[in-house]
Amino acid sequence: MALWAHAVRAYLLIAGMWVRSTMTYRASFVLMTIGNCVAGGLDFLAILLMFSHIDALGGFTLPEVALLYGATCTSFGLADLILGNAERVGQRVRDGTFDTLLVRPVPVLAQVAADRFALRRLGRTSQGLAVLGWGVASADVAWTPLKALFLLVTVVAGAAIFCAVFLAGAAFQFWASDASEVANSFTYGGVTLLQYPPTVFARDLVRGVTFVVPLAFVNWLPVLRLLGRDDPLHLPGWVSLCGPLVAVALLALTGLVWRAGLRSYRSTGS
């Protein structure tokens, strides 16, 4: 427990240092945050254009797609803010600067996660929250306090699942050195996939993101439960409640993979 507290404190201190550095140029920060928000919103603009020609996509209305989109983007935005810079591990391994992280009296993972902490990424989270809010207000769901709490837990669990994917991608680069694009295919590619209803994809693909890389627990399964729809795989109803358990299991597993990767690291000698 003391080690975790030390790691969290170190993460906050390093992130705070980068935030203070960013705030030196406040106008630049504001413009980059707005740009991040607008760039992220282009995906939803494409969905709006699509719905200007159709009434439903895979049987889902625009507000229902907004629920899927908003939950995904908010979860990913939080994970990208917290652990997005972990993808730079491969670059540090190649240029030899990873060695500097090993000699400091601070947990390596905390340094990797907080390195060049980019507060501007809140722009994407804000955009996701805005779409999610519109989806909540417009979708045909009889909201209760329990359903609202379930949606909040879903977003937090989704962020934890994306954090686990970021961590797995970072650990993989100890062996592959230059595989950031492979990791991006699961993170950024996963976000694009989850923005659309599962009914528009082949059943084998849905099985893959449910049982192999369980991204379906980020939004597909819980949001289908909120909308009162059956999932394409006809899984038992309790499976859609397992998002937090899946997130904890994934974080534990990827934590072990990270430790194995760290132990296998060999310096470039530079």
Side-chain angles (χ1 to χ4, degrees):
M1 185 60 73
L3 181 62
W4 277 103
H6 177 54
V8 171
R9 182 173 181 274
Y11 176 88
L12 294 176
L13 287 174
I14 297 171
M17 179 190 71
W18 284 107
V19 170
R20 288 194 297 275
S21 173
T22 300
M23 289 305 170
T24 304
Y25 304 98
R26 293 176 187 273
S28 174
F29 164 71
V30 171
L31 290 175
M32 293 184 73
T33 303
I34 293 174
N36 195 272
C37 180
V38 171
L42 292 178
D43 290 340
F44 193 65
L45 178 61
I47 293 174
L48 290 176
L49 290 175
M50 194 183 304
F51 270 91
S52 66
H53 297 282
I54 58 177
D55 295 325
L57 178 64
F60 285 67
T61 63
L62 179 58
E64 291 171 339
V65 174
L67 265 182
L68 292 169
Y69 178 95
T72 304
C73 288
T74 304
S75 294
F76 179 78
L78 291 172
D80 194 31
L81 178 69
I82 296 169
L83 207 58
N85 284 326
E87 66 182 13
R88 298 183 68 246
V89 166
Q91 180 184 342
R92 282 188 169 278
V93 169
R94 291 194 302 279
D95 63 21
T97 56
F98 192 81
D99 293 9
T100 60
L101 306 183
L102 298 176
V103 298
R104 295 172 182 163
V106 177
V108 176
L109 181 57
Q111 296 181 67
V112 167
D115 185 29
R116 297 182 183 277
F117 183 85
L119 194 61
R120 67 176 183 279
R121 290 174 175 166
L122 279 175
R124 181 156 197 158
T125 308
S126 303
Q127 180 260 339
L129 275 173
V131 176
L132 180 62
W134 183 77
V136 167
S138 306
D140 186 19
V141 177
W143 291 102
T144 63
L146 195 58
K147 288 183 178 178
L149 177 62
F150 179 60
L151 181 61
L152 176 63
V153 171
T154 294
V155 170
V156 174
I161 290 173
F162 274 125
C163 281
V165 177
F166 271 120
L167 185 57
F172 180 60
Q173 295 184 66
F174 284 118
W175 293 286
S177 296
D178 188 11
S180 59
E181 294 306 322
V182 175
N184 289 343
S185 68
F186 290 98
T187 51
Y188 294 95
V191 172
T192 303
L193 180 77
L194 297 176
Q195 290 171 358
Y196 297 93
T199 48
V200 303
F201 298 105
R203 187 162 295 186
D204 287 341
L205 180 62
V206 178
R207 288 194 184 97
V209 295
T210 302
F211 301 114
V212 182
V213 183
L215 295 176
F217 289 90
V218 171
N219 70 339
W220 274 356
L221 294 175
V223 171
L224 288 179
R225 183 184 184 87
L226 285 173
L227 295 175
R229 292 173 177 269
D230 293 330
D231 69 87
L233 302 181
H234 303 294
L235 298 171
W238 56 266
V239 174
S240 60
L241 301 173
C242 295
L245 295 177
V246 171
V248 171
L250 269 183
L251 285 173
L253 179 62
T254 53
L256 293 175
V257 175
W258 169 264
R259 288 176 67 86
L262 196 58
R263 286 172 180 164
S264 70
Y265 170 69
R266 296 291 180 271
S267 170
T268 59
S270 59

